[in-house]
Amino acid sequence: MQMKTLFQVSAIASALMLVGCGGDINIQPTVNDNSVTTTTTTGGTVTPPVETNPCASRGDLQGAFNGKDCEYSTSFASKNIEIESDIEFAKLSDDGVHVLNGALLVGKDCDTTTSCTIEANGPTLKVEAGATLAFTSGEAIIRIARGAKIDAMGTFEDPIVFTSANAIARHDAVGDGAQFADWGGIIINGFGLTNQCTNAQRAASTCNVETEGVTSYFGGNNNADDSGSIQYAKIWYAGSGPKTGGEGDDLNSLTLNAVGSGSSFDFLHIHQGYDDGIEFFGGESTISHIAVTDTQDDAIDIDGGWQGKGQFIFVKHGSVETKKEVVIPADGDDPERIVPAGSKIFMGNNGFETDGEKNGGADYDEAPTSNPTIANVTVITTDEKSVRDQSSSQAIKFDDAIKSMYYNALFVKADGANGTACIEHSSDGEKNADSIKFTSSVMSCANEFKGEATFMSGKEPAALTGTAKADWYDNAGSSQRLATTASVLSNAFATDVDSADITVTATDVTTLDGFFQSATYVGAVSDTDTSSNWYKWVEAAVTAAEQD
C-alpha cells in the first residue's frame, strides 16, 4: 500500500463585494487541500485514489485535515464572512474535532430598513451526531440569521459538543485548560414576536432588533417560525462579559432571539457559561431536558415577551477553580478586579431571571408580556455571590411585569447565613403577581424571600396589597414550603419521591398542553427513574461539573 499526502495550495485573488446592510460577502478563497490519497496495487492492478478529507466545505474551500482533526482558518469562517449556502460538519473518526479560528455566521444578516432582503429559505448549518466543534477565540460565535436554520441533532449515545479548543489537550497551546468565556456561544435569530418592536414596525416588516454582544438583527410577526433545532448537545465554556453596550450587553451560551415554536431545544447540557445559560428575547420556542451547571449569571433568562414552554429543567450553582487569570472590568464605582489563576470562585446568580417586557402599552400590545408555562424544575442554589456580577445565588427573580405558571418546581437552598434567598420580586415584578402561580411546587430554602415579606411596593395588584408572599407562593395549599432539614433530594440532583416531607401531589401537566410529558413527581428528576436517558444525562452533567 502506498500512502500519498497532497498539499495543494492555490492562490486565488479574494474579492469582497458588500451590498446592503453589512452586505453580501462573496469570497473566492485560498484553497488548502490537505486530503489523504490512498493508492493500492494488487497483482499489477492499480485501484484509483480515494480522497478522504472529511472536513466541511463550501464552494472551493474546505477545512484542512491533518489525519485526525479539521481546522478552519478565518478565510473559511470569520466575523467578516456570511455563509449563504448549506454547510455540514460530520462526525470525525478517532475522536477528531472541528477547530474553528473564527466565528461561524450562517445566513445573511439584514436590517430591513436598508436595501437588503432577508432570504426566507436561507442556508442550514447541519451538525452530525457525535461531531465536536471547538473554538479558539473568545469572539468566535455561531450565529444563525433570520431565515437560516441550525440542524444539530445528536443522540444520547453520540451527543454533539460545542466547546473551547482549550478543552482538547492537543489544541491547548498554553496548557491552562478550558474556562468560561473561551468562546462566544450560539445566537439564533428568528422571525417571532418581541415587544422590542412596535406593532407598526411588525406590520411594515421593519422589526429589526439588535442582538446583544455582537450586532445582528431579529424579530418579526411569526411566532411559529422555525429556525431549526438542537438536541442532545453540550455547550461548554461559552459566553462573555459585557461588550460595548454596558451592563446586560453580553454573550450567552445559547441566545434565542424571537425564535418561534417551530424550533425546539431538547437534552442540552450548558456548563461554565460566563453570562446566561439560555436567554430568550420573545418568540415561542420550547425547551426540555435542560441541565445548566456553574453558569456565572442566570441559568434561564426570559425577556421580551417569550410565550414558550419548558419542562425538565435542572439548575445547579456551584464553584470552579480558575484555570487562568480573570480580569473583571470596572463597573460604576466598583474598580477593576483581577482574579488570579487557581482561585476558587462562585458561579450562579438566578436559576430563572424572568422579565416580562422591554416595552409596554398600546403600541406594543401585539407582543404581550412574557408568559411562559414551565414544569418539573429543580434549582439548587448556594449561599454565595457570582464572581463577575457579585449577585446572590437565587432560585428565581421576577421583574418587568412578568406573568408565568410553574408546576412541579423544587427550589433548594441549604444555607442562608450570608443572607441569600430563593425568590426575589423587583417592584415591577409585582405588577402581575396575581398572574404568577406555583402549583404542586416545593421550596426548601434557608431564606425564602428577598426583601419585604409582603406585597407592599404599590405596584402589586390591589387585591394582593399586604398579602404575605409565603401565602402567595402556597397558592391555597397547592404548594409547600419546607425547612432545610426536610428530605427533598435523595442525591446531588434527584428528588426523593418517597419523602414523607413532600406532601403535595404532582400535577399531571399533560392536561395542560400536548408539549408536556407525564411526570408524577415534583422537581426535574425522579430518583426512581435511574434507567432513563434524562436521569443519566443529569447525572453525567453533575459529575462533569464536580470534576471540572
Side-chain angles (χ1 to χ4, degrees):
M1 178 179 290
Q2 181 183 18
M3 301 294 295
K4 179 182 177 184
T5 302
L6 303 180
F7 299 92
Q8 180 183 13
V9 180
S10 300
I12 303 175
S14 297
L16 299 177
M17 180 174 65
L18 304 178
V19 180
C21 59
D24 301 327
I25 301 178
N26 299 317
I27 294 182
Q28 297 177 340
T30 299
V31 177
N32 297 306
D33 182 357
N34 288 344
S35 59
V36 177
T37 301
T38 302
T39 303
T40 304
T41 304
T42 305
T45 302
V46 178
T47 303
V50 178
E51 296 287 353
T52 59
N53 186 345
C55 302
S57 62
R58 58 183 190 84
D60 293 331
L61 187 61
Q62 186 172 24
F65 185 56
N66 64 9
K68 187 179 184 71
D69 301 323
C70 291
E71 186 164 358
Y72 305 87
S73 71
T74 53
S75 295
F76 185 93
S78 78
K79 62 183 180 181
N80 299 315
I81 298 172
E82 293 183 314
I83 297 172
E84 297 186 45
S85 57
D86 293 348
I87 185 168
E88 179 172 356
F89 291 85
K91 176 185 177 181
L92 301 178
S93 61
D94 193 27
D95 295 323
V97 300
H98 298 274
V99 181
L100 290 100
N101 292 301
L104 184 60
L105 309 182
V106 179
K108 177 183 175 183
D109 192 42
C110 176
D111 174 353
T112 59
T113 62
T114 66
S115 59
C116 62
T117 302
I118 299 172
E119 175 57 58
N121 296 305
T124 295
L125 166 63
K126 182 175 177 58
V127 184
E128 192 176 81
T132 294
L133 275 64
F135 295 83
T136 65
S137 167
E139 293 187 351
I141 60 170
I142 297 175
R143 189 225 65 203
I144 308 299
R146 286 183 288 187
K149 289 183 172 63
I150 184 169
D151 178 8
M153 306 299 282
T155 66
F156 179 76
E157 296 79 12
D158 232 358
I160 293 165
V161 178
F162 302 98
T163 191
S164 162
N166 293 328
I168 316 297
R170 60 187 177 275
H171 294 289
D172 183 9
V174 177
D176 291 334
Q179 181 172 281
F180 50 84
D182 270 356
W183 67 289
I186 302 172
I187 299 172
I188 304 178
N189 297 330
F191 289 110
L193 278 70
T194 172
N195 47 47
Q196 293 156 275
C197 286
T198 65
N199 301 337
Q201 287 173 322
R202 278 187 290 275
S205 298
T206 57
C207 176
N208 300 282
V209 185
E210 288 192 12
T211 58
E212 290 190 348
V214 176
T215 299
S216 59
Y217 300 95
F218 67 92
N221 55 14
N222 180 15
N223 258 2
D225 171 50
D226 181 0
S227 298
S229 297
I230 305 175
Q231 178 177 281
Y232 284 111
K234 302 174 183 180
I235 307 173
W236 287 21
Y237 308 117
S240 76
K243 292 288 188 180
T244 58
E247 182 179 356
D249 196 12
D250 314 295
L251 291 172
N252 308 298
S253 294
L254 175 61
T255 306
L256 301 177
N257 291 318
V259 175
S261 60
S263 294
S264 62
F265 303 87
D266 191 25
F267 279 97
L268 306 184
H269 177 207
I270 296 172
H271 177 61
Q272 268 203 49
Y274 200 45
D275 197 53
D276 301 324
I278 302 175
E279 183 161 19
F280 299 91
F281 289 97
E284 201 172 325
S285 53
T286 59
I287 57 173
S288 55
H289 302 104
I290 307 296
V292 184
T293 54
D294 297 342
T295 284
Q296 194 280 150
D297 197 4
D298 310 310
I300 308 294
D301 193 335
I302 296 165
D303 207 344
W306 183 52
Q307 306 297 317
K309 295 176 284 288
Q311 188 179 19
F312 305 119
I313 301 169
F314 175 83
V315 177
K316 192 171 190 297
H317 295 165
S319 62
V320 301
E321 182 178 301
T322 55
K323 307 286 181 60
K324 60 199 80 172
E325 181 181 89
V326 180
V327 178
I328 300 173
D331 182 12
D333 294 332
D334 296 329
E336 178 182 270
R337 288 180 290 135
I338 297 178
V339 181
S343 299
K344 180 182 180 180
I345 60 172
F346 291 94
M347 304 287 275
N349 178 199
N350 295 294
F352 288 77
E353 181 174 358
T354 63
D355 301 282
E357 57 192 18
K358 290 292 190 183
N359 300 284
D363 289 342
Y364 298 89
D365 61 6
E366 292 176 1
T369 192
S370 301
N371 191 11
T373 301
I374 296 172
N376 294 99
V377 169
T378 297
V379 181
I380 302 173
T381 68
T382 69
D383 191 33
E384 303 294 342
K385 293 184 176 182
S386 58
V387 62
R388 187 192 76 199
D389 300 335
Q390 294 292 286
S391 297
S392 298
S393 171
Q394 303 180 147
I396 195 165
K397 179 182 179 182
F398 300 107
D399 203 355
D400 293 336
I402 183 71
K403 298 179 180 181
S404 47
M405 303 292 287
Y406 293 85
Y407 296 88
N408 308 337
L410 174 61
F411 297 159
V412 179
K413 181 180 289 291
D415 185 10
N418 291 333
T420 65
C422 269
I423 296 179
E424 178 186 1
H425 290 86
S426 73
S427 57
D428 283 344
E430 295 183 359
K431 286 182 177 179
N432 291 314
D434 56 350
S435 295
I436 303 171
K437 295 188 184 300
F438 287 91
T439 303
S440 303
S441 297
V442 173
M443 175 163 51
S444 175
C445 296
N447 300 311
E448 294 176 343
F449 299 95
K450 180 178 179 178
E452 299 294 341
T454 60
F455 289 104
M456 55 183 297
S457 69
K459 293 187 177 182
E460 74 281 350
L464 283 179
T465 300
T467 298
K469 292 179 179 178
D471 292 338
W472 163 84
Y473 173 86
D474 290 347
N475 191 16
S478 69
S479 292
Q480 182 180 16
R481 291 169 297 108
L482 298 174
T484 57
T485 55
S487 177
V488 294
L489 295 172
S490 65
N491 55 30
F493 60 93
T495 300
D496 179 359
V497 299
D498 293 325
S499 169
D501 296 316
I502 298 177
T503 59
V504 296
T505 300
T507 295
D508 178 6
V509 291
T510 61
T511 62
L512 303 176
D513 186 276
F515 163 80
F516 293 103
Q517 300 177 27
S518 178
T520 58
Y521 54 89
V522 173
V525 187
S526 165
D527 66 349
T528 64
D529 194 27
T530 57
S531 64
S532 73
N533 285 357
W534 173 228
Y535 184 99
K536 294 175 182 178
W537 187 258
V538 177
E539 182 178 46
V542 170
T543 300
E546 290 174 346
Q547 295 175 349
D548 192 10

